[in-house]
Amino acid sequence: MKKEKTCKIVFSDIDGTLLTSDGQITEGTKEMILNLENKGIPFILTSARSPEGVRVIKRMLGNHAPIIAFCGGLILDDDGNEIYSKMIPLKRALELKAMLDKDFPAVACNTFGGEKWIVDDRDDWREQREEKIVGFPAEIGSIKDTFETEGGIHKFLLMGDPDVMTKLAAVLARDFSDLQSAASNPEYLEITAAGVEKSEGLKTLCGKLGISPEEAAAFGDGESDLSMMRAAGFGAAMGNAPENVRGRAPMVIGKNDEEGLLKRLKEIFTD
């Protein structure tokens, strides 16, 4: 049995894990994370959010560490330099957007690439809700004009009524099986390049830092967090995670509103 004190790095999802239901980080959790950093143990924010969406939380936390954005599609060091990137090719992104415009015009489409986030209509209430959640605004733009230089995008975030999203998911599975689609909730679909996983982000960053995944802790509350939890030596799902996530996680800890993350960190790092 591995000793808990051998943990050398922590990976954490943001929403539903690090943050409480009202979008806050408790003072005890913040203090613990900064104490770990002072001991040389990085705390890596790992999210489906864009880089700036992650940095909003990083500024709240006040730590200094790399970040994993777009569910592992982009890894940046503490200075914002790119460590790893995997994108949907621009041609394929344009094909998907054309299908959405033709067959699913009621679906709100968010397109992300690096630091850029574009939408078709900022007056759409769903877009406004997303801007409020992440704490910064999108811009109006076209995929071709915005991302031509980059040659691709990191993620589509599609938002619509649950019944519409179920139909859309079936179309994506049939006609865009080369891409990866995941429902973060009944109203949201997130599309990335095939092979983009939080677990790959964990392994890539551990390799760069010379740390074994067995020496990593990983916490989350969603489907996209499962691969990361399973790849880490100290993986756990939050108590507020859906039952189908809790049932497949290595272990289950307390809820985000009950400082579940803090309590588990104390268990791991207290001699």
Side-chain angles (χ1 to χ4, degrees):
M1 178 179 290
K2 53 186 174 291
K3 295 180 180 179
E4 308 230 290
K5 64 181 180 181
T6 61
C7 186
K8 296 180 180 178
I9 189 169
V10 179
F11 294 81
S12 176
D13 176 52
I14 293 175
D15 301 286
T17 302
L18 174 67
L19 299 186
T20 59
S21 296
D22 59 356
Q24 300 302 308
I25 306 171
T26 70
E27 286 303 314
T29 301
K30 183 186 298 186
E31 182 180 357
M32 180 71 182
I33 291 168
L34 295 179
N35 285 341
L36 290 177
E37 180 173 82
N38 288 336
K39 296 176 181 178
I41 299 169
F43 188 88
I44 312 298
L45 294 170
T46 308
S47 178
R49 293 181 179 219
S50 68
E52 181 55 24
V54 177
R55 283 194 292 264
V56 167
I57 306 306
K58 187 175 177 180
R59 288 192 287 269
M60 288 173 58
L61 187 56
N63 73 324
H64 302 85
I67 62 172
I68 299 177
F70 303 129
C71 287
L74 181 64
I75 304 175
L76 303 176
D77 69 15
D78 186 47
D79 295 319
N81 301 308
E82 184 180 295
I83 295 174
Y84 172 86
S85 174
K86 187 167 188 178
M87 307 181 90
I88 299 172
L90 184 62
K91 180 176 183 293
R92 196 58 168 149
L94 291 170
E95 291 169 349
L96 195 155
K97 184 63 166 68
M99 181 277 290
L100 293 171
D101 291 344
K102 177 177 179 292
D103 299 333
F104 294 90
V107 169
C109 180
N110 300 259
T111 309
F112 298 88
E115 303 291 344
K116 301 174 183 176
W117 170 23
I118 62 167
V119 297
D120 298 322
D121 180 11
R122 283 196 63 216
D123 292 329
D124 186 305
W125 68 271
R126 295 165 298 189
E127 306 291 4
Q128 293 177 350
R129 178 182 62 184
E130 190 65 18
E131 290 184 2
K132 184 176 181 180
I133 290 171
V134 299
F136 67 100
E139 295 183 2
I140 302 292
S142 74
I143 293 175
K144 186 177 187 303
D145 293 342
T146 304
F147 300 106
E148 191 164 26
T149 301
E150 289 84 353
I153 69 163
H154 282 106
K155 188 184 80 166
F156 283 108
L157 170 60
L158 310 177
M159 304 184 294
D161 293 337
D163 57 338
V164 173
M165 301 310 282
T166 298
K167 294 175 183 176
L168 174 55
V171 172
L172 292 170
R174 183 190 70 206
D175 298 337
F176 293 86
S177 59
D178 54 313
L179 303 180
Q180 196 159 277
S181 175
S184 48
N185 68 52
E187 297 180 350
Y188 281 29
L189 278 172
E190 303 196 55
I191 318 300
T192 58
V196 169
E197 298 277 358
K198 287 188 177 181
S199 59
E200 293 304 309
L202 180 149
K203 292 173 185 175
T204 297
L205 200 47
C206 281
K208 184 174 179 62
L209 297 175
I211 298 172
S212 165
E214 280 295 307
E215 299 172 311
F219 305 99
D221 72 313
E223 289 270 354
S224 64
D225 300 311
L226 275 169
S227 68
M228 178 175 71
M229 297 176 209
R230 290 171 171 170
F234 305 91
M238 304 301 294
N240 51 284
E243 183 177 354
N244 68 326
V245 173
R246 298 197 309 272
R248 290 181 285 162
M251 72 176 294
V252 178
I253 59 175
K255 297 179 180 181
N256 63 325
D257 287 336
E258 299 171 355
E259 293 193 317
L261 176 60
L262 172 60
K263 292 172 184 176
R264 180 57 181 151
L265 290 175
K266 286 181 176 178
E267 289 173 356
I268 293 173
F269 293 105
T270 301
D271 293 331

